[in-house]
Amino acid sequence: MTSLLDLEVDRSLRPHSLACRLCGQSRAAAAVAICEECLGPLEPVYDPDRSLPDARAIAARPQSLWRYREWLPFEGEPTLSLDTGFTPLVESPALARRLGVARLWVKNDSVSHPSLSFKDRVVSTALNAARALGLDTVGCASTGNLANAVAAQAARAGFPAWIFIPHDLELGKVVGTAVYGPHLVRVRGTYDDVNRLCSQAADRFGWGLVNINLRSYYGEGSKTVAFEIAEQLGWRLPSAVVAPMAGGSLVTKLGKGFGEFLQAGLVSGAAPRLYGAQAAGCAPIVRLVQSGGDTVEPVIPNTVARSIAIGNPADGRFAAAAIRGSGGWATAVPDPDLVNGIRILAETTGIFTETAGGATVAGAFALAREGRLRADDEVVLCITGNGLKTVEALQGVLPEAPIIAPRIRELEALHARDL
Ligand SMILES: *Cc1c(COP(=O)(O)O)cnc(C)c1O
Ligand SMILES: [Zn+2]
């Protein structure tokens, strides 16, 4: 007998179960991101027979990353951060001309809601997982943007947050975290030291640290960058995508996301070639791609691009494999070049990005010079963060504005000099 209760759909949020990417070992949904058998990363398991929406159904949904919910790791209704995602895809003919490619678009996550970086996406999925798993405190180890995103989204969700950053981050990143009222801890050391401490803290206190024990759910949020690029290009794919790399999650998940949309028949043709950019002062993934090896050699970071300064990247080998498997490449850019990249994007496209975006732009120029980006390419640059958070990088670089008295004579003199 079927009772009325049985017919009611359970709409509460349930995270997908997990399986090891390396050995296949599976386990129930939990705040655990590492396989107990082989220490490989756990990933959410999707039902291959689940029903998928078509392009029209997706296009009719609200403009957030949840419009791709069938490819996000939950059953039921998400309750938190429902307004993140669907950032602009901006075409830049001027930058395409400078690079010598057919067309170029900027995926502009520098205006991501609510905290102005692509980290809002991964925090949206991780916080929904935290709530569904019954965790009462969240946090992260961060190079800056993740701290901003966790602090902002935890505040409005009502989670206490413990946030750990290197002691010497940019002022904008520190203030843009502290303002939301989390427990903010500055750790004497590099990001990699911060990360190690946080792994211990997750075990010790039972917290949900979004990029540590919730990493399996966190990473899936990055796929939505790929989904949005495909939809915003009119349900087709670019020929090349350039993205900055820190832990290597974004690039890995771009490959996964494009692959999932191809498999679903939402787009057709060749998957884009993936290109990763790092600062020369912290380029362990670039080195791995270029050497063809399969284990990351950790480095001690030394670059102004703090947001991507991860010396021992958790997803480094997967990022390198995604890049090489796509027919792409990786490039390391010196700090002066990435600072120049910030200026070029601003002057050609009217978008002010932070240091990581500067690495993407400078990386694209290096790839074009090497003939890897070509005249017939349709290129998307992933601009992942906002320049107002890292104004230090431009200190002493931009011309100083003249100061004049409020008199038309002085302006006339200035104007005559500038002609
Ligand atoms: C974290 C971050 C990245 C790269 O992230 P991974 O997924 O760890 O490689 C890129 N850009 C910005 C601005 C970031 O904050
Ligand atoms: Zn395993």
Side-chain angles (χ1 to χ4, degrees), residues 20 22-25 35 37-40:
C20 175
L22 299 182
C23 77
Q25 178 83 14
C35 173
E37 298 293 320
C38 77
L39 304 183

Side-chain angles (χ1 to χ4, degrees), residues 80-415:
L80 304 174
S81 300
L82 301 180
D83 49 2
T84 291
F86 224 74
T87 57
L89 185 74
V90 181
E91 184 160 14
S92 178
L95 191 49
R97 225 173 298 120
R98 290 269 298 260
L99 272 170
V101 299
R103 295 182 75 179
L104 180 136
W105 294 263
V106 170
K107 183 55 174 160
N108 188 11
D109 273 8
S110 77
V111 292
S112 170
H113 187 70
S115 75
L116 306 180
S117 88
F118 108 99
K119 292 296 197 308
D120 284 323
R121 300 173 183 277
V122 287
V123 173
S124 294
T125 48
L127 288 200
N128 275 284
R131 176 70 33 96
L133 293 168
L135 301 172
D136 53 21
T137 300
V138 298
C140 63
S142 175
T143 57
N145 284 312
L146 187 60
N148 298 168
V150 169
Q153 295 188 41
R156 67 182 182 181
F159 280 116
W162 280 84
I163 292 177
F164 299 83
I165 55 176
H167 65 105
D168 55 352
L169 279 193
E170 300 98 333
L171 183 63
K173 298 276 169 73
V174 177
V175 173
T177 303
V179 70
Y180 302 103
H183 303 274
L184 176 59
V185 183
R186 298 192 299 158
V187 178
R188 221 173 293 109
T190 66
Y191 171 80
D192 299 285
D193 298 316
V194 177
N195 191 277
R196 222 171 304 112
L197 174 66
C198 278
S199 301
Q200 294 174 288
D203 294 341
R204 171 75 175 75
F205 299 105
W207 295 333
L209 298 185
V210 300
N211 57 333
I212 298 183
N213 53 350
L214 292 172
R215 192 171 181 87
S216 312
Y217 299 104
Y218 160 102
E220 293 292 280
S222 293
K223 295 190 305 190
T224 60
V225 177
F227 300 155
E228 290 175 17
I229 289 170
E231 179 175 356
Q232 291 170 323
L233 283 177
W235 302 101
R236 60 190 197 93
L237 298 175
S239 59
V241 176
V242 188
M245 303 187 291
S249 174
L250 172 59
V251 161
T252 307
K253 299 290 180 164
L254 283 171
K256 187 177 182 188
F258 289 126
E260 287 179 345
F261 263 24
L262 279 164
Q263 199 179 5
L266 287 163
V267 290
S268 57
R273 308 189 314 276
L274 299 176
Y275 293 94
Q278 294 194 290
C282 182
I285 307 178
V286 174
R287 215 156 297 147
L288 191 57
V289 170
Q290 296 189 349
S291 70
D294 56 16
T295 43
V296 171
E297 301 271 0
V299 302
I300 309 273
N302 179 20
T303 170
V304 293
R306 303 300 308 270
S307 60
I308 51 172
I310 296 186
N312 189 11
D315 290 308
R317 59 183 283 210
F318 301 111
I323 287 169
R324 296 184 70 98
S326 75
W329 194 242
T331 184
V333 303
D335 280 1
D337 290 12
L338 72 84
V339 170
N340 200 36
I342 294 174
R343 298 181 68 182
I344 292 172
L345 184 67
E347 291 173 5
T348 58
T349 311
I351 291 173
F352 182 18
T353 186
E354 66 146 79
T355 47
T360 302
V361 174
F365 275 94
L367 293 162
R369 273 196 306 275
E370 293 168 9
R372 298 180 191 277
L373 297 179
R374 298 182 296 259
D376 61 346
D377 267 321
E378 298 197 327
V379 181
V380 172
L381 302 186
C382 292
I383 295 303
T384 47
N386 193 297
L388 289 171
K389 297 190 193 187
T390 63
V391 289
E392 292 90 338
L394 294 167
Q395 203 97 62
V397 172
L398 303 176
E400 202 173 338
I403 301 177
I404 61 170
R407 278 192 266 288
I408 194 67
R409 278 277 173 69
E410 292 205 17
L411 179 57
E412 281 167 358
L414 199 64
H415 183 248

Side-chain angles (χ1 to χ4, degrees), residues 24-38:
Q25 178 83 14
S26 62
R27 61 159 304 145
V32 176
I34 303 279
C35 173
E36 281 159 10
E37 298 293 320
C38 77

